[in-house]
Amino acid sequence: AYINRAETYFLMGEYYLALMDLRTAESLFPNNLLVAADVALTLHAIGEVSAACSVWQGLMDEELGFCDVGWLRREFEWLDPLIDRARMILRDLM
């Protein structure tokens, strides 16, 4: 529930509310790749680019799919705003 609500907040542009739910989800589901990815997207959206890129790099180290937005869309069923933010992070990592 926290992850879905966080993604809804993200889509609404309520990034700090999204981050609050994601921090709760992190405590409930440690090492969950979806939660970590959503945290990275949200950090990037609030301007914490370095932190977002660090989280994303860790995700790519664990699962190469995080380098591929097509994989992200299929794996997590993300909508375009989430995919667009993932593209931004990948661009910032280059």
Side-chain angles (χ1 to χ4, degrees):
Y2 287 105
I3 299 168
N4 290 337
R5 189 170 67 182
E7 287 182 359
T8 300
Y9 282 144
F10 183 96
L11 294 170
M12 294 169 52
E14 297 288 348
Y15 304 122
Y16 290 99
L17 291 174
L19 195 56
M20 287 173 46
D21 274 355
L22 290 168
R23 295 302 187 198
T24 300
E26 279 181 319
S27 68
L28 295 171
F29 310 105
N31 304 313
N32 182 294
L33 298 181
L34 173 58
V35 173
D38 282 348
V39 167
L41 298 177
T42 306
L43 289 171
H44 195 273
I46 63 173
E48 298 289 335
V49 174
S50 179
C53 287
S54 177
V55 171
W56 203 268
Q57 184 64 57
L59 290 167
M60 291 189 309
D61 291 345
E62 188 159 336
E63 168 57 63
L64 287 177
F66 283 95
C67 300
D68 176 10
V69 292
W71 180 87
L72 292 167
R73 186 182 301 276
R74 288 187 306 278
E75 185 71 16
F76 299 127
E77 300 178 354
W78 279 349
L79 299 174
D80 287 341
L82 298 162
I83 293 295
D84 292 344
R85 185 61 62 172
R87 280 190 182 104
M88 290 179 209
I89 294 172
L90 288 167
R91 184 192 65 227
D92 287 341
L93 283 167
M94 295 182 148

